[in-house]
Amino acid sequence: MRRKFVAGNWKMNGSANSIRELLQGIREGAAEVAAVELAVFPSFVYLGLVEQQLSDSSVGWGAQNLSEHASGAHTGEVAGSMLQDFHCDYVIVGHSERRTLYGETDEIVARKFATARKIGLKPILCVGETLQEREQGVTEAVVERQIKAVLDLEGISGFADAVIAYEPVWAIGTGRTATAGQAQEVHAFIRAKLAQLDSALASQVCILYGGSMKAANAAELLAMPDIDGGLIGGASLEAKEFLAIAKAGC
Ligand code: PEP
C-alpha cells in the first residue's frame, strides 16, 4: 500500500518572515493529516531556517535542484553534500522550469538524479509534456524519453527510492489542471513502463501529479489508483490550502 505524499514546491518565493509563518501553519495542521507524508521545498538559502523549524515535526523538506557535480569550480551551484548538511530528505530534479528556462536536458537531469541517489538523497524526477506535444499526441513518447534517460544511467533499481512527478507543462502555474482521467492515464502508463522491467518495484513507486493542483480539485485527482500524491506549486504557499490538499488524500 503506497502512502500518499504531498510536496510543496515553493519555487523562488518567500522571505524569512513569511516562511516562519507558513511553517507554523503547516506544523499546526500536520497532525490532522498524519496519514499523508508532507514535505516542503524552499529556496536553498532558507533550508537552514526550514530545518530549524521542522526538525522536531513530521514534515520533511528538500531542495528544488542540485548540481550534478560533487564540488569544485561551479560558481552559483549547490552540491548534494551541501543539501545533506541541512538534512534534506529529497531533491527535485528536472522541474519543467529548469528544463525550459535553464536548458536542462534529459541527460543533465539523469545525471542530477544519479548524483542525488549516490549520496542518499531521494530524487523527485519531474516529467511531462508541453501543450504542443500533447496536441501532437506525443505525451507518452515524451514522458517515456524523459524516464528512459534515467533508466539508461541508473537502471530500474534507480527508481527504488525515488519519486516521479508527472507535471504536464501546460498545467503548471496556469490554473489549467489535467482532468483526473488525463492524469491517471499518464500515471498508469509510467507505472506500466516500469513494470515491464520490475513489476514489484513499479507497484511501490510513488508517482505524484503536479500542475495547478489545489484543494478544490485534489480529492478527484488523489482518488485515482495511480496518483499517489501531489507536487504543489502556488497552492503550497498558503498553509490552509496546502493542508486541505493533504486532507483530500487522507
Ligand atoms: C510546480 O511548479 O511543480 C507546480 C505544480 O506548480 P503549480 O501547482 O503552481 O501549477
Side-chain angles (χ1 to χ4, degrees):
M1 181 71 179
R2 300 183 300 268
R3 186 181 177 206
K4 290 274 193 285
F5 179 29
V6 172
N9 173 15
W10 293 349
K11 309 194 189 194
M12 199 173 70
N13 291 300
S15 63
N17 280 340
S18 73
I19 285 172
R20 269 190 208 98
E21 201 180 313
L22 177 54
L23 290 176
Q24 191 184 337
I26 294 174
R27 284 183 56 131
E28 281 169 8
E32 245 191 88
V33 295
V36 173
E37 180 180 355
L38 295 178
V40 295
F41 294 78
S43 291
F44 293 126
V45 293
Y46 295 122
L47 280 169
L49 173 61
V50 168
E51 180 186 18
Q52 214 179 67
Q53 306 274 307
L54 293 182
S55 54
D56 63 345
S57 83
S58 59
V59 184
W61 62 90
Q64 299 170 15
N65 184 28
L66 83 167
S67 170
E68 63 180 280
H69 305 287
S71 65
H74 299 283
T75 302
E77 290 288 287
V78 173
S81 59
M82 297 170 183
L83 303 181
Q84 284 179 312
D85 278 344
F86 294 99
H87 302 98
C88 288
D89 306 298
Y90 295 99
V91 61
I92 297 171
V93 298
H95 190 280
S96 71
E97 287 152 17
R98 300 293 321 165
R99 291 178 189 263
T100 55
L101 302 174
Y102 300 99
E104 291 192 9
T105 61
D106 292 340
E107 290 68 33
I108 292 173
V109 172
R111 290 199 293 273
K112 290 186 173 199
F113 183 102
T115 299
R117 282 195 65 242
K118 202 190 280 173
I119 59 170
L121 279 168
K122 291 183 201 159
I124 300 181
L125 173 69
C126 297
V127 298
E129 81 289 1
T130 62
L131 185 57
Q132 196 187 24
E133 288 164 340
R134 175 157 282 264
E135 285 170 352
Q136 286 168 350
V138 295
T139 295
E140 291 184 353
V142 168
V143 167
E144 186 173 359
R145 189 200 71 219
Q146 292 169 332
I147 289 177
K148 184 176 178 296
V150 173
L151 285 171
D152 286 349
L153 200 61
E154 291 285 272
I156 183 66
S157 61
F159 284 96
D161 270 327
V163 174
I164 297 172
Y166 168 58
E167 300 207 299
V169 179
W170 48 271
I172 296 180
T174 59
R176 189 175 162 190
T177 320
T179 64
Q182 282 173 322
Q184 165 59 25
E185 208 177 333
V186 181
H187 282 234
F189 170 78
I190 293 170
R191 203 178 300 284
K193 276 285 147 197
L194 298 181
Q196 285 173 356
L197 300 167
D198 185 333
S199 60
L201 184 150
S203 70
Q204 291 306 313
V205 158
C206 174
I207 309 178
L208 307 179
Y209 168 78
S212 298
M213 194 164 171
K214 45 187 181 282
N217 58 29
E220 205 189 342
L221 286 158
L222 295 175
M224 293 289 128
D226 289 293
I227 300 183
D228 303 319
L231 181 54
I232 321 296
S236 69
L237 296 169
E238 260 189 64
K240 232 174 112 184
E241 184 75 8
F242 184 60
L243 291 165
I245 293 170
K247 183 97 185 148
C250 288

